[in-house]
């Protein structure tokens, strides 16, 4: 696996938050409704949530990479809109960063690299029909993927809320 290394404050953070606590408080975004409850996931479920389908090869690497547990939640909307938040707790953020970056690239083949300015050190991919963004905060990986008519602002707001919850600054549902 390859990916940008974590740096500065992000590499030194030791945040550890239960994944279900992060995705469980995320609000629905305008035009999207929850497609199911918060789902705790093991390595196989985490791999599937990241890339959108079962992936035994990825799942088999996660325990050795320090994956502990995860949770996911999906929202859906008209026209095939889908937004999925995936959160993992890891022994170390470095492997989580590499795996998140690889998942983003796999989800948006042929897309453009995407590092929104408010998420320095993030890894993402972006196209006209899909986007994926991976951020690591301490030992917690935050991943959001969207397809269909979901705008950038919606994905970025969910990521912002996830990051705020992880670092303990709260946030609001706006």
């Amino acid at each position: 696996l390859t990916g940008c290394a974590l740096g500065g404050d992000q590499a030194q953070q030791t945040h550890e938050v239960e994944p279900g606590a992060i995705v469980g408080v995320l609000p629905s975004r305008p035009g999207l409704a929850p497609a199911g409850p918060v789902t705790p996931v093991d390595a196989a479920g985490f791999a599937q949530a990241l890339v959108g389908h079962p992936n035994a090869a990825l799942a088999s690497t996660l325990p050795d990479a320090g994956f502990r547990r995860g949770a996911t939640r999906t929202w859906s909307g008209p026209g095939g809109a889908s937004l999925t938040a995936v959160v993992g707790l890891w022994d170390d953020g470095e492997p989580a960063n590499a795996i998140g970056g690889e998942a983003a690239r796999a989800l948006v083949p042929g897309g453009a690299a995407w590092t929104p300015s408010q998420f320095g050190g993030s890894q993402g991919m972006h196209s006209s029909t899909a986007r994926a963004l991976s951020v690591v905060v301490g030992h917690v990986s935050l991943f959001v993927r969207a397809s269909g008519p979901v705008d950038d602002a919606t994905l970025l707001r969910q990521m912002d809320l996830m990051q705020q919850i992880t670092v303990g600054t709260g946030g609001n549902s706006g």
Side-chain angles (χ1 to χ4, degrees):
L1 296 172
T2 61
C4 298
L6 299 174
D9 292 337
Q10 195 174 17
Q12 297 171 18
Q13 293 175 352
T14 58
H15 293 286
E16 290 196 20
V17 180
E18 283 302 317
I22 297 170
V23 297
V25 297
L26 293 173
S28 293
R29 303 310 314 155
L32 297 173
V38 171
T39 305
V41 292
D42 60 7
F46 187 82
Q48 181 171 340
L50 280 181
V51 298
H53 57 81
N55 188 318
L58 175 58
S60 70
T61 68
L62 296 178
D64 287 340
F67 174 79
R68 293 191 224 164
R69 57 191 163 274
T72 185
R73 189 167 190 197
T74 298
W75 296 262
S76 61
S82 177
L83 179 75
T84 299
V86 185
V87 178
L89 183 59
W90 301 75
D91 291 337
D92 181 353
E94 291 287 344
N97 193 52
I99 289 167
E102 289 294 324
R105 285 184 283 285
L107 278 165
V108 191
W114 185 38
T115 304
S117 60
Q118 66 268 48
F119 300 110
S122 65
Q123 295 188 67
M125 294 296 287
H126 190 278
S127 76
S128 61
T129 59
R131 58 206 50 76
L133 184 62
S134 175
V135 173
V136 175
V137 180
H139 295 200
V140 180
S141 64
L142 309 171
F143 190 87
V144 181
R145 61 181 170 87
S147 60
V150 176
D151 63 20
D152 290 352
T154 298
L155 183 143
L156 293 171
R157 182 61 180 144
Q158 277 314 59
M159 181 60 79
D160 181 54
L161 290 169
M162 291 166 60
Q163 186 175 43
Q164 288 180 42
I165 294 162
T166 303
V167 299
T169 58
N172 62 46
S173 61

